[in-house]
């Protein structure tokens, strides 16, 4: 199986247009030959342990009125509304009270990359981001390993 590695956001990603100083952005990649949509569907088909973490997140954030499901739109991958899609990149995510986030799934030249961009609005958004970071990294790396294995 291919190794998941930390990498730079591909130069052609539309996420570059959103990024400003102090935003969070990370990107992981794996060798895989698939489409952005197919990869995004594997990525958002969370394994049981990740679903459990998302349930805990839902319970803990409910008192703060945070959105767990995003807007009700017809085109979603997992819980995330699709914002844009091209032959090489799918961007999904939404804006919430405490932060805005998007994920980019790119498929270029036999490589799939998964990038996450987060723009915290306030101290609550920054604290939330810090608290979930270890889980985010584990989920992102696992998601790309599953993309590579799905081939």
């Amino acid at each position: 199986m291919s190794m998941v590695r930390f990498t730079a956001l591909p130069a052609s990603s539309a996420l570059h247009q959103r990024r400003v100083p102090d935003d969070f952005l990370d990107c992981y990649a794996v060798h895989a030959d698939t489409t952005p949509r197919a990869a995004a569907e594997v990525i958002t088909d969370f394994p049981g342990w990740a679903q459990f973490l998302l349930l805990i997140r839902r319970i803990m954030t409910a008192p703060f009125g945070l959105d767990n499901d995003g807007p009700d739109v017809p085109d979603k991958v997992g819980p995330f509304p699709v914002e844009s899609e091209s032959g090489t990149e799918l961007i999904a995510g939404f804006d919430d009270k405490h932060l805005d986030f998007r994920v980019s799934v790119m498929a270029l030249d036999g490589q799939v990359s998964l990038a996450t961009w987060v723009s915290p609005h306030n101290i609550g958004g920054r604290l939330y981001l810090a608290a979930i970071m270890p889980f985010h990294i584990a989920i992102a790396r696992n998601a790309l390993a599953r993309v590579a294995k799905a081939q």
Side-chain angles (χ1 to χ4, degrees), residues 1 5 13 27 32 34 51 70 85 93 120-121 130:
M1 184 183 336
R5 63 199 179 287
S13 173
C27 187
T34 188
Q51 289 179 28
E85 185 173 9
H121 295 238

Side-chain angles (χ1 to χ4, degrees), residues 19-20 22-26 116-120 129 133 136:
R19 193 170 185 198
V20 298
D22 296 328
D23 284 355
F24 170 81
L25 178 74
D26 70 357
T116 304
W117 165 82
V118 180
S119 180
L129 184 60
M133 191 51 54
H136 161 75

Side-chain angles (χ1 to χ4, degrees), residues 37 40-41 69 71-86 90-93:
R37 172 75 62 159
E41 288 173 355
D69 301 313
D72 188 17
V73 298
D75 190 13
K76 286 187 171 188
V77 286
F80 309 125
V82 174
E83 178 178 275
S84 65
E85 185 173 9
S86 71
L90 182 145
I91 294 181

Side-chain angles (χ1 to χ4, degrees), residues 24-91:
F24 170 81
L25 178 74
D26 70 357
C27 187
Y28 294 90
V30 70
H31 291 290
D33 190 20
T34 188
T35 66
R37 172 75 62 159
E41 288 173 355
V42 170
I43 288 165
T44 58
D45 185 15
F46 300 111
W49 63 268
Q51 289 179 28
F52 178 70
L53 290 173
L54 293 171
L55 175 62
I56 291 171
R57 176 202 181 273
R58 179 179 296 274
I59 292 166
M60 292 182 72
T61 60
F64 302 102
L66 302 183
D67 194 341
N68 285 284
D69 301 313
D72 188 17
V73 298
D75 190 13
K76 286 187 171 188
V77 286
F80 309 125
V82 174
E83 178 178 275
S84 65
E85 185 173 9
S86 71
T88 57
E89 183 175 35
L90 182 145
I91 294 181

Side-chain angles (χ1 to χ4, degrees), residues 18 23-24 57 61 66-67 80 93-102 116-133:
R18 292 182 172 276
D23 284 355
F24 170 81
R57 176 202 181 273
T61 60
L66 302 183
D67 194 341
F80 309 125
F94 57 94
D95 300 344
D96 204 350
K97 283 197 255 184
H98 65 312
L99 55 77
D100 299 345
F101 83 96
R102 298 296 184 281
T116 304
W117 165 82
V118 180
S119 180
H121 295 238
N122 50 41
I123 188 68
R126 287 187 285 284
L127 289 171
Y128 172 79
L129 184 60
I132 65 144
M133 191 51 54

